[in-house]
Amino acid sequence: MANQPIYGVIAEFETPEQVLQAALRTHAAGYRSIDAYSPIPVEGLAEAIGFEWTSLPMVVFTGGLLGGCGGFFMCWYANVISFPLNVGGKPLNSWPAWIPITYELTILGAALAAVFGMIIMNGLPRPYHPVFNVPRFALASTDRFFLCIKAKDKKFDLAQTKAFLEEMKPHGVFEVEA
């Protein structure tokens, strides 16, 4: 029987403190391709596994900027090019009247960029993930915490990585098939 390709090794922990300490220790040991799964937010866990920066703020800023410029251009085009009306001797390019529309489209552009940027950057929708192959992973949505070291990590060696995770006294250590 042919060996299944390995996605990584996953360890199951019972408390958020245990998974946080395991993540800190794993990152300190030199592993960089790490994932943590938790039913509740664990403060410091993202930093412990190496998340430091995301480009989502730049995506939101760009979306807001494009929305604002689009709103301003829409008003300018309608009032100056498409349907120019001289009302009370005011100039055609009377921008103070366009501030509410520009503001609202800035907010709309930023909000849409935030939602769709987050969805795309998180790789959603993801109907299948290799960690679903571990039967006990179903507990990740109720009361267990999991730490996964992926096989694509430069330091990954199946036997050594399993032994490393077992040193932290988890509830269990499992191979994750790809």
Side-chain angles (χ1 to χ4, degrees):
M1 189 165 132
N3 287 340
Q4 291 287 334
I6 297 294
Y7 174 77
V9 178
I10 195 166
E12 175 185 352
F13 296 94
E14 295 179 357
T15 66
E17 293 81 18
Q18 287 177 328
V19 76
L20 181 59
Q21 289 304 317
L24 289 168
R25 193 168 158 198
T26 303
H27 195 266
Y31 291 99
R32 294 297 178 257
S33 189
I34 311 166
D35 253 335
Y37 305 93
S38 168
I40 59 171
V42 178
E43 188 170 343
L45 187 58
E47 293 81 13
I49 63 173
F51 287 162
E52 296 174 0
W53 182 82
T54 177
S55 60
L56 189 60
M58 288 305 299
V59 170
V60 173
F61 176 75
T62 304
L65 190 62
L66 290 174
C69 290
F72 189 86
F73 176 75
M74 179 181 64
C75 291
W76 176 83
Y77 181 80
N79 291 308
V80 176
I81 303 296
S82 179
F83 196 69
L85 284 177
N86 187 349
V87 179
K90 293 181 189 172
L92 296 176
N93 188 15
S94 183
W95 64 267
W98 308 338
I99 291 175
I101 293 172
T102 303
Y103 174 76
E104 291 298 328
L105 285 179
T106 300
I107 301 301
L108 179 65
L112 290 175
V115 169
F116 290 113
M118 184 220 35
I119 288 172
I120 291 168
M121 288 178 185
N122 286 337
L124 297 176
R126 186 182 299 172
Y128 169 78
H129 194 279
V131 294
F132 297 155
N133 293 331
V134 178
R136 293 196 52 89
F137 188 75
L139 297 173
S141 63
T142 56
D143 66 347
R144 296 300 169 126
F145 303 85
F146 291 86
L147 183 70
C148 180
I149 301 175
K150 299 176 188 174
K152 66 181 181 180
D153 193 289
K154 292 178 183 174
K155 192 175 177 183
F156 185 86
D157 176 75
L158 184 59
Q160 290 177 349
T161 304
K162 280 180 82 170
F164 173 75
L165 287 174
E166 287 170 353
E167 289 174 5
M168 293 183 255
K169 307 279 190 264
H171 189 270
V173 176
F174 311 98
E175 292 180 22
V176 181
E177 295 177 356

